[in-house]
Each structure stands twice: as structure tokens, then as C-alpha cells.
Amino acid sequence: MSYWQTYIQAMIDAQHAIMQREAASIEQAARIITDSLRQGGVLHLFGSGHSHLPVEEAFYRSGGLAPISPLFDPSLMFHEGVEKCIALEKWDGYATRFIVPKYDLRPGEVIMVFSASGRNNAPIEVALAAHQKGLYTIGVTARRCSAAFPSRHPSGQHLADVVDLVLDHDVPPGDNLVSIDAMPELGTTGGASTALAMIMINSVIAQVIENFAQAGEVPPLIRCPNAGSEQAALAANAKTFDHYRARLPHL
């Protein structure tokens, strides 16, 4: 097979493996989030570098959940400079000082933290700070990748070590799925963790929606204005967001 075919097949295989291996954890995450939302809570999300992309994917997504509060820091995204982002996500104390205090994290709520390697300071600090505030912490990471590299956090722990629940997409060290057989010295290609993390967060959200619907409860859903009645969708969304607006600083 060509490299692109090998890559797509490897991604399909990775998704099948997630369905088998992570089913119980995905359903547990969805139950805990459902319970928190029923109590008026908000789901918080954080990631840095490429791992901020699953956070953006889940925020303000038609068909997704309205009460999602991303912990955004432009300095931990690449558009302000890749070298700056890479330096700051490794800087001991940056997230604790400059990110967490900006957000209203409340006991009984849930935060999902994304990091493929789980070794950098920023995601570990956010998870630890949220846990101290009484939140249930979920890490979307790869134990196999973490095992290959020492943590950069002073505690020596990886993200998987400090959260209450792990959703493991199991990407290999290097985060690529295709070997460059024609030039083995180049290593691998075909990045996986970002797309798999997006699939996992959307899977959790889909299960949360089902939990509400199966109980006969209307979920706090963002309706799509491009399907059905645009006016009805916009009106429903406005009512939903009015309920959560004070908790969602990025609306």
C-alpha cells in the first residue's frame, strides 16, 4: 500500500482499538459529565500546542454541548510563535500562574486535559490545580507515549498519573503511524493524536447527549442553524447560551 493508504488504515485500526479498549472509560467519562451538567456544572477543556485543537473542536460545535468552557491561552497556540508556545508549555508554573486563575473552576465540575505525551508542565499543572479545586479530572493522552519519555514536571509524574480517569488513544512515541521505509533514517510520518483526541471528545459528548435523551431530558445542545429551521435553531441556542453565558468567557 502507498503511505496514504497505510496511514488511513492505521487510523481506522486505531479507532477500532479505541472502541474495544476504551469503551468503559468513555462511558464512565460521559456519566460523570452528565451528572455534573445536571447539577448546573460546566465542562472545562485544556490543551496546549497541537493539543489545543481538540479543545477548539468541541467548543461551540453544532450538535455538541453548550456548557463547554475552554481554557484558552493564545501563547500556548502556534499562531503567536511556535518557539514561544513550546517554551511556555514547559515552563514550570506558567499555567498555574497565568491560565488557571482566569477561569471559574468549581467543585463538582469536570475538566478534560489533552496531551499526547503527557510530559509537559502546562497540562499537568492544569490537571493538578483543577483537582485541588475539587473538579473531576480526565486526561486524554497516550500511556505508551508517556512511558517512552521522562516527565518535565518537577513531580516526575505524567498527565496519566495525576488525573482521575484516563482516555488513552495509545499513539506510539513520535505520534506517527507510518514508517518511512524508503528512508528509514527519517523515522515516521502520519500524525495521529490530534485526530484521535478529537474523535474521543466527540464520542464522549455524543454519549452525554444520549444519556440525557434516554432519560427523557433535553440536553444542553447547540442546534445547527444550517439544518431545519434556522430561526428555530438560533432562538433555541440563544436561550441555551443565556443560561450559561456568565460561565463561558469565550462566547
Side-chain angles (χ1 to χ4, degrees):
M1 288 192 294
S2 62
Y3 284 10
W4 74 263
Q5 292 172 316
T6 300
Y7 173 71
I8 290 179
Q9 185 59 59
M11 287 294 287
I12 292 170
D13 293 343
Q15 291 173 69
H16 280 300
I18 287 171
M19 289 180 68
Q20 298 297 318
R21 187 188 62 249
E22 299 300 307
S25 295
I26 289 171
E27 292 177 3
Q28 182 180 347
R31 283 195 301 272
I32 293 166
I33 292 167
T34 302
D35 290 343
S36 175
L37 297 183
R38 281 174 172 152
Q39 299 300 315
V42 168
L43 173 61
H44 306 273
L45 306 176
F46 174 77
S48 64
H50 284 110
S51 291
H52 96 270
L53 294 172
V55 176
E56 294 223 34
E57 164 67 16
F59 178 56
Y60 207 80
R61 162 65 67 183
S62 292
L65 293 168
I68 287 183
S69 178
L71 279 65
F72 283 150
D73 185 322
S75 295
L76 293 183
M77 304 174 189
F78 290 148
H79 64 275
E80 285 200 352
V82 173
E83 292 182 355
K84 177 182 179 182
C85 171
I86 291 174
L88 289 179
E89 70 178 354
K90 298 174 183 176
W91 181 13
D92 182 27
Y94 178 80
T96 303
R97 181 176 177 184
F98 294 107
I99 301 175
V100 174
K102 296 192 300 184
Y103 292 91
D104 183 12
L105 307 180
R106 300 183 183 180
E109 295 184 333
V110 180
I111 187 167
M112 296 182 69
V113 180
F114 298 80
S115 174
S117 71
R119 68 187 302 221
N120 288 324
N121 284 351
I124 297 171
E125 287 181 13
V126 169
L128 287 170
H131 185 78
Q132 290 174 355
K133 289 177 175 288
L135 280 77
Y136 188 90
T137 56
I138 300 172
V140 182
T141 186
R143 294 184 189 274
R144 180 158 52 129
C145 193
S146 293
F149 305 104
S151 172
R152 294 188 171 101
H153 191 263
S155 70
Q157 295 178 298
H158 290 81
L159 178 62
D161 301 319
V162 303
V163 294
D164 297 304
L165 177 67
V166 173
L167 300 181
D168 186 356
H169 45 58
D170 193 41
V171 298
D175 193 8
N176 292 316
L177 301 183
V178 180
S179 297
I180 306 176
D181 295 332
M183 294 184 177
E185 68 276 12
L186 298 181
T188 56
T189 187
S193 66
T194 304
L196 293 176
M198 288 183 177
I199 289 169
M200 296 187 88
I201 180 61
N202 279 319
S203 297
V204 170
I205 289 172
Q207 186 57 47
V208 171
I209 300 297
E210 181 183 5
N211 291 346
F212 276 97
Q214 289 290 350
E217 305 169 21
V218 177
L221 183 76
I222 303 175
R223 303 188 187 187
C224 180
N226 297 318
S229 170
E230 179 178 3
Q231 294 303 317
L234 291 174
N237 289 345
K239 183 177 180 180
T240 301
F241 281 119
D242 282 347
H243 181 73
Y244 293 104
R245 192 170 300 278
R247 299 292 317 282
L248 306 179
H250 296 293
L251 279 184

